[in-house]
Amino acid sequence: MTRGAFLTVLTRWLFGDELDAMSAVPGAPWWKNNYTLALQNGLLKDKELDGDLDKAMSRQEMAVVLARAAQGLGLAPDTLVSESAIPDWYSIGEGYREGVRFSYSMGFIGGVDSKRTFNPKGTLTRDQAATVVYR
């Protein structure tokens, strides 16, 4: 799933009314309004994802965006899972670790196998995206 597609799903779910009120920008990419809403609502930080939303989204990028969405809604886990609960913790980029930990702790993600391996640099699939948004 591309970065733009995931942001589109998430912003339509969270900010559908705001999105409906926005006008399309002639000549802009199809995801432009969703990207703008994601920036305005703290799902992304300025220039994050390098503005390249047609590239595949990594699982660690997804986890950070999910964590920010939950925090924006005032949600927080009772406790954070320990780093040792995520078998491939040290393969997660340092800037992504707390978002991944938060998302694990909230139950949004649980890994890709029976060991709960996260696979941070793996590409987010549509079925994974549907699952995490549903959760």
Side-chain angles (χ1 to χ4, degrees):
M1 180 172 241
T2 67
R3 294 164 165 176
F6 185 71
L7 287 177
T8 296
V9 169
L10 206 52
T11 55
R12 282 185 180 169
W13 176 60
L14 294 171
F15 314 112
D17 292 340
E18 289 177 60
L19 193 58
D20 289 343
M22 296 175 80
S23 299
V25 179
W30 61 269
W31 42 257
K32 179 65 175 167
N33 286 347
N34 302 93
Y35 180 71
T36 299
L37 276 175
L39 285 169
Q40 289 173 349
N41 289 283
L43 303 184
L44 295 176
K45 294 182 180 176
D46 190 37
K47 301 194 190 234
E48 196 167 39
L49 304 182
D50 300 321
D52 191 353
L53 273 68
D54 292 321
K55 287 176 67 177
M57 182 164 234
S58 72
R59 290 176 47 79
Q60 64 186 5
E61 291 168 340
M62 169 270 301
V64 168
V65 171
L66 276 178
R68 290 178 184 156
Q71 291 165 337
L73 294 171
L75 302 174
D78 293 331
T79 59
L80 290 173
V81 299
S82 70
E83 297 168 4
S84 63
I86 305 169
D88 51 349
W89 175 258
Y90 291 103
S91 64
I92 299 167
E94 286 187 33
Y96 299 97
R97 288 183 182 162
E98 290 312 307
V100 171
R101 191 172 179 198
F102 183 97
S103 292
Y104 260 82
S105 301
M106 289 296 295
F108 299 148
I109 55 179
V112 295
D113 58 23
S114 61
K115 295 178 187 174
R116 296 182 57 140
T117 304
F118 179 59
N119 187 21
K121 293 176 179 76
T123 300
L124 177 67
T125 64
R126 286 178 182 249
D127 59 332
Q128 291 168 348
T131 298
V132 299
V133 171
Y134 175 76
R135 289 179 178 164

